Amino acid sequence: MMQTLTPHVYWAQRHGEIYLRVELSDARNLLILVEENTLTFSAQGHGAKGENEYGFSLEFLKPVKTEVSHRSTQRQVNITVRKQEHGWWERLTMQERKPVFLAPDFDRWLDESDAELELREKEEKLNRISVESRIPKDPYLGLKKGYLFMYNLVQFLGFSWIFVNMTVRLFILGQDSFYDTFHTIADMMYFCQILAVLEVVNPALGIVQTGVVPPLIQVFGRNFVLFIILGVLEDMHNKPVVFFIFYAWSCIEIFRYPFYMLACIDIKWTLLTWLRYTIWMPLYPLGVIAEAVAVIQSMPVFDETGVLSVPLPKALGLSLSFSYVLHLYLVLMFLGLFINFRHLYKQRRRRFRTKKRKAY
């Protein structure tokens, strides 16, 4: 006759259920009963001490329902016990000292606040499904997704060309590549940034459900630097700062556009998601700093050449230099950095909400 041994048991809870995971392979002759608030388990199978009979009993801290559901796999037995009343238990058993065979199931463990958050998310999901079921489906949804997929694909290819071209030239020419970046890359950057205006148009027309202000700040800021600061002044074309601006922009976009492109066809790639919501944190401020350097370097050129200056009455014999506008733009640039950084950081927190783990 085989001796009855105790298996390893792991537990977790929600407001309405208790989850038990019994480490017992190929369980046979299962007996799981709940009587007088005590769960009794017995079975034959392969546990921590080989093939044997295993069993245990647990007296719960508070009343539970007698109906028990379980599911056996080749590796374990999963048991779900429902609480009589919804609530959070400070421990599992009536006895204060934890049984030696019992441990938290960290794969399913949530503390009370996280469980409440999960419950609210489930309720919101059910409510959203209920509402969506009453809203007519968009007949143009497939067309919109196809358009967004192609837009993001084209932008990804454009910025990938920029990134690869600049990287290869950097390895071949070294620092010499800094001085002719504008002449080799500007045409493709013009194309990508003109196309980026659609990122303001799309939310404005309701094609994507995002705000208009964050993309407006980014697109306007980049295009102002590209077309006004760099495009108008030939003296800026050979500045090394152009390399750093274009490289920072392309490094961000080669992860952002494929993320949105795959989202159009409901594909999620964990590494790409992490990169899309993380890589911008150092690169976005560095890109803005490089843009600010370009603006500052352009100020004396605008003063000397009088390009874009506003002429004043002849009696004054003066003109209002465009550099005054650039002083104001610098302030707005860093204000925009703060607004967009805050917006993107909130997006990242929602995407990667961490769940705290708590011991027994």
Side-chain angles (χ1 to χ4, degrees), residues 203-248:
L205 296 180
I207 297 175
V208 294
Q209 302 302 314
T210 57
V212 175
V213 175
L216 177 62
I217 292 173
Q218 177 169 306
V219 172
F220 174 80
R222 285 189 180 182
N223 285 355
F224 184 88
V225 171
L226 178 61
F227 290 97
I228 303 299
I229 304 300
L230 304 180
V232 171
L233 299 178
E234 290 189 11
D235 290 354
M236 294 296 297
H237 292 179
N238 298 325
K239 299 287 187 182
V241 72
V242 178
F243 174 89
F244 296 101
I245 293 173
F246 286 4
Y247 209 67

Side-chain angles (χ1 to χ4, degrees), residues 298-312:
S298 71
M299 287 180 182
V301 182
F302 278 111
D303 288 337
E304 292 173 7
T305 61
V307 175
L308 299 181
S309 295
V310 178
L312 296 176

Side-chain angles (χ1 to χ4, degrees), residues 29-94:
N29 302 326
L30 269 171
L31 176 63
I32 305 173
L33 294 175
V34 174
E35 296 178 340
E36 298 181 356
N37 211 44
T38 299
L39 181 140
T40 303
F41 174 94
S42 65
Q44 289 182 334
H46 191 89
K49 297 185 179 180
E51 188 71 26
N52 217 313
E53 290 187 2
Y54 290 86
F56 66 89
S57 63
L58 291 171
E59 184 180 4
F60 294 114
L61 177 65
K62 295 180 181 180
V64 297
K65 296 181 180 181
T66 55
E67 299 85 6
V68 178
S69 60
H70 72 277
R71 183 171 60 87
S72 299
T73 67
Q74 291 183 342
R75 298 180 57 189
Q76 61 198 24
V77 180
N78 297 303
I79 303 171
T80 302
V81 182
R82 298 189 178 279
K83 300 176 181 178
Q84 285 281 10
E85 296 181 357
H86 279 58
W88 200 256
W89 295 2
E90 61 184 20
R91 61 178 186 274
L92 179 63
T93 60
M94 182 65 71

Side-chain angles (χ1 to χ4, degrees), residues 252-282:
I252 294 173
E253 304 303 18
I254 60 174
F255 298 112
R256 186 168 72 95
Y257 284 117
F259 171 81
Y260 288 128
M261 182 180 69
L262 294 180
C264 292
I265 53 177
D266 300 321
I267 294 178
K268 294 181 180 179
W269 185 9
T270 304
L271 176 60
L272 181 61
T273 301
W274 184 86
L275 288 169
R276 182 265 177 272
Y277 284 100
T278 305
I279 200 73
W280 64 267
M281 295 183 74

Side-chain angles (χ1 to χ4, degrees), residues 301-328:
V301 182
F302 278 111
D303 288 337
E304 292 173 7
T305 61
V307 175
L308 299 181
S309 295
V310 178
L312 296 176
K314 291 183 178 180
L316 297 176
L318 298 171
S319 62
L320 186 62
S321 175
F322 188 69
S323 63
Y324 293 111
V325 176
L326 297 182
H327 283 86
L328 176 61

